Amino acid sequence: MTHGRAAALAVLSPIVICALLSGIHPAYAAAPGDVTADGVRDPQDDASPWGIASGAEWAADYPKFNLALQTVGVRWLRSSYPWHAIQPTEGTWIWRPMDDLVANARANHIHLTAGFGYLATWASADGGTYAFPIKNIQYWRDYVSAMVARYHNDIKYWEVWNEFNGGFAVNATPQTYAELVRETYDAAKKIDPTAKIGVSVANFDVGYLDAAIKAGGADHFDYICVHPYENLAALAEGGEISFLSMAGALRQMLAANKQRTDIPLWITEIGATAPVQPDAAGDRRQAEALAKAYLLSIASGFQRVFWFEARGPSYGKETDFGVIRADWTPRPSYDALKAMIDALGQKPQYLGWLDMDKGGYGFLYRGRNEDVLAVWSPPGTEHKITFPADVGVIDLAGGDSTLRAGQGLTLTGTPLLLTKVPASLARQARDKAGKPFPWGGDYAKAEVVLSRLGAVNVDSGVKQVDLQTTLSVTAGAESWRRTDFTRPEGDGRYVQFRVDPQFVPYGTTNLEITAVVRRAAPETVAGMNIDYESLKGYRGGPNYQEIPGDEQWHELTWKVSDANFVGGWGWNFRLSALGSAGEFDVKEVRVRKSTTSQESKGAADP
């Protein structure tokens, strides 16, 4: 036992000390180079962004999938066993499964990041694993202390819970989470001052992080973790700019709360499904999503990204998230991950951007041995580019070819990695680093942004999300979109929108939202609420407005004073027809910055 380990045990309760001493695993004997308070380098101080997250359903497969991940160059795994499995009864500690997980990760040269949670059944309010309050917070302190004392040589990064703002915490509030964060931070740092404590939320819930910090979590975390699944899904409809804005929104929130703005940002879950059985189109879409998730995250300032997941699960919908199928065959997404790691190496550095053929995406990175330019086109478009010299072209399957000088290359929605980037283009990209991205327009100084809906929407700072949930209607030279109540699961009762982040940066609270609408059938009553993203999460009514009963177009306007348009679920506001008897048409939506703070509603003819 090293002096550092003895000191760590000294602050534990006698019960915890006995548990640790009775089951010390040989793999956790201190090794030369362990981090100590006198500044020995952290062996897990690894710049690699390449991570995989594993859920509970398939976590036991790590002996096989860790090897597969190590083979392609994945350096981080997010996985751990919950409190109730490690300490099933008070005073009983079962370490072997977690010991084996940690030892296997080490054997495969993979860094493990773990989480504290959920509740031990004997310590919870109702004998379950999610319901608060904890009977005695000392139980939680002992659990955190025991975990850090046992694994501090191997695990340096610990998340407090998983998606506390989601379905994994019952009877819980931001105040509950803030207390848990404080207790975890203090207990962990007593054992290992070099331990890093992360706060974590489902989706991209900046508002919940803000509330937890204000509730007492300030200055008690070392990194932030988000799970922006919906923001990734929005890329299929051109959501790159909103995705790229996430890191900035987090740093603005930190600044507003007087927290460190350079704190590391992690994405510890993000993913997209593919069909269980091989399917060319479905597999390609997942591979594209995976590539964009890593490329955009690195470009926008996220330090580490964990794709969910290595293998499975399907959740009964004939699709799953894994880069490896249930039969252990690799998916195209696995090949895409390998292709990116091979080209970009373990320390990719974002250098700048290029506007490819006036609309195509281009992101320059310093790769393994040279500059690498990632390129693709927005959905439904193609851009053709040429270069003054030969360049290398790597596709997501790992295929490597040469594009001759002057030869055209057609960009599609599938990312390509270009090597041997001409020096003049690399300089242009570097010169643009830190400047606003060009795609979608410049709305930073605009007074109003809008979208005109029709057979083809015309967007000027507002974009409809999930276009397929509405129907296109054309009459003569005009067209508009109509709610579709026949859609399954009620999807057709919502018309969702996203606003350009330049127009509504974090801190923009007073907005005026106007919809130009009419009844689909004048004799059928129709109307809507507006749901919007606020400082306290998504909010709905009571703000219902009925559309007048005629064939004219009408303007319905709402004013909100607590907006927080960061795209937590991939959208900022929506017209909700849940209370409407009939369908309605939508011709235009507008968003204006308001100087008033009174929330109101009204309707008027244009």
Side-chain angles (χ1 to χ4, degrees):
M1 181 183 299
T2 65
H3 172 74
R5 191 169 183 84
L9 288 174
V11 303
L12 299 179
S13 70
I15 292 177
V16 176
I17 294 174
C18 289
L20 288 169
L21 291 177
S22 65
I24 296 294
H25 193 285
Y28 306 113
D34 282 351
V35 181
T36 65
D38 56 2
V40 177
R41 181 181 178 275
D42 181 351
Q44 294 197 78
D45 183 15
D46 187 335
S48 174
W50 312 108
I52 290 286
S54 180
E57 293 87 347
W58 294 75
D61 288 328
Y62 67 82
K64 294 181 70 173
F65 67 60
N66 274 357
L67 179 59
L69 298 178
Q70 188 270 344
T71 299
V72 299
V74 170
R75 296 288 286 271
W76 290 87
L77 175 67
R78 178 184 184 253
S79 185
S80 60
Y81 286 88
W83 182 12
H84 56 85
I86 291 172
Q87 193 182 14
T89 62
E90 186 175 3
T92 302
W93 299 82
I94 301 178
W95 294 110
R96 186 56 183 266
M98 188 71 187
D99 285 353
D100 290 345
L101 170 64
V102 173
N104 185 270
R106 180 195 287 174
N108 283 287
H109 308 288
I110 291 175
H111 302 319
L112 195 64
T113 176
F116 295 118
Y118 302 103
L119 296 177
T121 56
W122 54 269
S124 72
D126 69 347
T129 56
Y130 300 143
F132 283 84
I134 299 175
K135 291 178 180 178
N136 186 334
I137 197 64
Q138 185 61 46
Y139 298 151
W140 178 265
R141 297 188 193 109
D142 285 347
Y143 156 62
V144 170
S145 299
M147 289 284 284
V148 176
R150 191 173 185 85
Y151 301 117
H152 73 281
N153 288 340
D154 289 274
I155 301 175
K156 291 295 175 184
Y157 297 90
W158 304 86
E159 287 179 58
V160 182
W161 212 263
N162 172 61
E163 300 187 351
F164 199 86
N165 59 322
F168 298 108
V170 180
N171 303 325
T173 66
Q175 289 74 21
T176 311
Y177 190 53
E179 179 187 22
L180 216 59
V181 169
R182 291 195 310 271
E183 295 291 349
T184 302
Y185 185 92
D186 291 343
K189 298 283 187 176
K190 285 180 181 178
I191 304 299
D192 178 9
T194 66
K196 307 300 182 184
I197 303 303
V199 289
S200 172
V201 289
N203 317 106
F204 183 62
D205 199 339
V206 180
Y208 198 90
L209 290 169
D210 174 80
I213 291 171
K214 286 180 166 63
D219 303 316
H220 282 76
F221 56 94
D222 301 298
Y223 62 109
I224 288 178
C225 308
V226 294
H227 297 173
Y229 288 93
E230 293 84 356
N231 304 72
L232 179 63
L235 298 184
E237 296 179 334
E240 276 85 349
I241 288 297
S242 291
F243 195 102
L244 288 164
S245 73
M246 290 192 296
L250 285 170
R251 298 206 183 282
Q252 289 166 340
M253 180 274 294
L254 288 167
N257 285 286
K258 296 181 171 55
Q259 301 296 288
R260 284 178 47 208
T261 57
D262 62 346
I263 197 167
L265 307 177
W266 291 21
I267 294 177
T268 49
E269 280 189 34
I270 193 169
T273 61
V276 170
Q277 299 300 323
D279 176 272
D283 289 343
R284 185 195 77 252
R285 285 192 294 269
Q286 187 195 42
E288 291 175 358
L290 179 142
K292 292 175 184 177
Y294 285 99
L295 292 169
L296 291 172
S297 297
I298 296 169
S300 59
F302 284 95
Q303 182 188 62
R304 197 152 289 127
V305 183
F306 293 77
W307 181 264
F308 183 87
E309 83 160 83
R311 178 178 181 236
S314 70
Y315 298 124
K317 295 183 178 180
E318 295 303 315
T319 63
D320 68 63
F321 289 88
V323 296
I324 302 168
R325 297 188 194 280
D327 65 2
W328 292 99
T329 58
R331 278 201 170 98
S333 55
Y334 179 89
D335 298 330
L337 187 55
K338 182 179 187 302
M340 286 192 297
I341 297 174
D342 284 348
L344 296 175
Q346 293 296 340
K347 298 182 180 181
Q349 179 186 1
Y350 169 67
L351 301 176
W353 56 265
L354 289 170
D355 186 5
M356 311 303 295
D357 188 38
K358 297 181 179 179
Y361 299 110
F363 300 95
L364 186 71
Y365 307 85
R366 182 60 187 175
R368 185 185 298 275
N369 299 308
E370 60 179 324
D371 289 350
V372 177
L373 181 64
V375 294
W376 67 91
S377 274
T381 68
E382 291 185 349
H383 291 271
K384 194 167 186 178
I385 57 176
T386 58
F387 297 93
D390 293 358
V391 299
V393 180
I394 301 172
D395 61 33
L396 295 187
D400 194 350
S401 60
T402 298
L403 180 74
R404 298 301 178 186
Q407 182 180 353
L409 176 66
T410 300
L411 304 184
T412 67
T414 303
L416 296 171
L417 303 175
L418 307 183
T419 60
K420 302 177 184 176
V421 180
S424 59
L425 282 180
R427 283 194 299 271
Q428 289 180 37
R430 284 177 166 84
D431 289 343
K432 297 178 186 298
K435 296 180 180 179
F437 296 115
W439 307 287
D442 183 0
Y443 300 103
K445 298 181 180 180
E447 295 183 0
V448 62
V449 290
L450 59 87
S451 178
R452 293 189 175 92
L453 280 62
V456 177
N457 286 4
V458 180
D459 302 324
S460 297
V462 179
K463 187 177 184 63
Q464 184 184 355
V465 180
D466 292 334
L467 197 68
Q468 70 277 8
T469 64
T470 56
L471 300 170
S472 171
V473 182
T474 301
E478 293 190 45
S479 65
W480 55 87
R481 301 198 75 84
R482 175 173 294 171
T483 54
D484 180 9
F485 288 3
T486 67
R487 294 278 304 181
E489 301 180 1
D491 286 350
R493 290 182 176 267
Y494 300 109
V495 191
Q496 298 180 337
F497 298 93
R498 189 170 60 244
V499 184
D500 190 281
Q502 294 181 61
F503 183 76
V504 284
Y506 181 84
T508 304
T509 57
N510 297 324
L511 296 172
E512 181 179 284
I513 301 170
T514 298
V516 180
V517 295
R518 70 180 179 186
R519 296 183 183 185
E523 69 280 3
T524 305
V525 175
M528 71 200 75
N529 290 77
I530 188 168
D531 301 333
Y532 66 95
E533 195 174 12
S534 81
L535 294 171
K536 295 183 178 180
Y538 284 90
R539 288 188 57 185
N543 56 32
Y544 181 83
Q545 297 193 54
E546 187 174 305
I547 305 171
D550 55 38
E551 297 181 355
Q552 303 302 310
W553 291 100
H554 298 269
E555 290 192 357
L556 305 183
T557 298
W558 295 261
K559 291 182 180 179
V560 299
S561 60
D562 60 343
N564 184 42
F565 284 9
V566 296
W569 294 347
W571 56 273
N572 301 133
F573 72 93
R574 67 186 180 187
L575 309 178
S576 170
L578 283 181
S580 181
E583 296 177 325
F584 54 79
D585 298 327
V586 187
K587 187 176 185 179
E588 181 177 292
V589 295
R590 300 191 298 271
V591 179
R592 183 185 302 274
K593 290 179 182 176
S594 173
T595 57
T596 62
S597 60
Q598 180 182 3
E599 185 171 348
S600 62
K601 62 180 181 180
D605 290 341

